[in-house]
Amino acid sequence: GATTFAPATASSHAYEAGEMTQGPGGVLWYCVERGTPGKWRTLSAPTGAGSFYAVTPARVYDSRVGTYSPNGVLSGGQNRTISVANSYNVSGTLVTSNFIPAGATAVFANVTVVDTVGAGYLAINPGGTTAVAASTINWSANGQVLANGISLTLNASREITVVNGSG
């Protein structure tokens, strides 16, 4: 939601939606509702919510490679909690520790399923959450290879839980 924020200018100034200003501590604010002082949202901050840090895409997990833990096929009805903190090469060798920075609350990711069996879906939740509120990727037949670009919420340990909703 929007926050009331008073930029350091004359208090009688009416701000317009769409204005931006830098506040104390390097926080970048965006005005979402006209007024004095208006309604504002944080766009970015050195350590706060609203920050987005782009990273070069990299692999964080592949169930087909034996060096990941846990690894192997995720069968129908199974759940798996996976760390996304580090990046790996296609052989499963560690490339970057803390690839996803500590404190991250979400990531943009590409989720791929390969050699599907029957129809089904994966639901991907913050680590430890197994309840299914929505699917992340769906398939309808054997042998499909599908990918989906999505945003994923992380738990405090930079983990996700994958729920396999196939038969």
Side-chain angles (χ1 to χ4, degrees), residues 129-143:
T129 303
T130 57
V132 176
S135 63
T136 303
I137 191 167
N138 303 284
W139 60 91
S140 59
N142 289 340

Side-chain angles (χ1 to χ4, degrees), residues 42-149:
T42 305
L43 285 182
S44 68
T47 60
S51 298
F52 174 76
Y53 299 98
V55 296
T56 301
R59 181 181 306 265
V60 296
Y61 183 78
D62 188 332
S63 64
R64 301 170 297 174
V65 178
T67 56
Y68 291 91
S69 181
N71 67 347
V73 171
L74 180 62
S75 299
Q78 287 186 325
N79 306 324
R80 181 170 294 163
T81 298
I82 299 165
S83 172
V84 300
N86 302 322
S87 71
Y88 301 88
N89 66 19
V90 295
S91 300
T93 303
L94 177 68
V95 174
T96 306
S97 294
N98 293 308
F99 170 68
I100 300 301
T105 58
V107 293
F108 289 103
N110 192 47
V111 174
T112 305
V113 293
V114 177
D115 295 330
T116 58
V117 177
Y121 67 88
L122 296 181
I124 303 181
N125 303 316
T129 303
T130 57
V132 176
S135 63
T136 303
I137 191 167
N138 303 284
W139 60 91
S140 59
N142 289 340
Q144 291 185 305
V145 177
L146 303 165
N148 191 18

Side-chain angles (χ1 to χ4, degrees), residues 11 15 25 41 54 92:
S11 61
Y15 292 93
R41 287 208 174 118

Side-chain angles (χ1 to χ4, degrees), residues 101-105 126-127 153-159:
T105 58
T153 304
L154 305 175
N155 69 7
S157 298
R158 297 173 284 175
E159 296 172 324

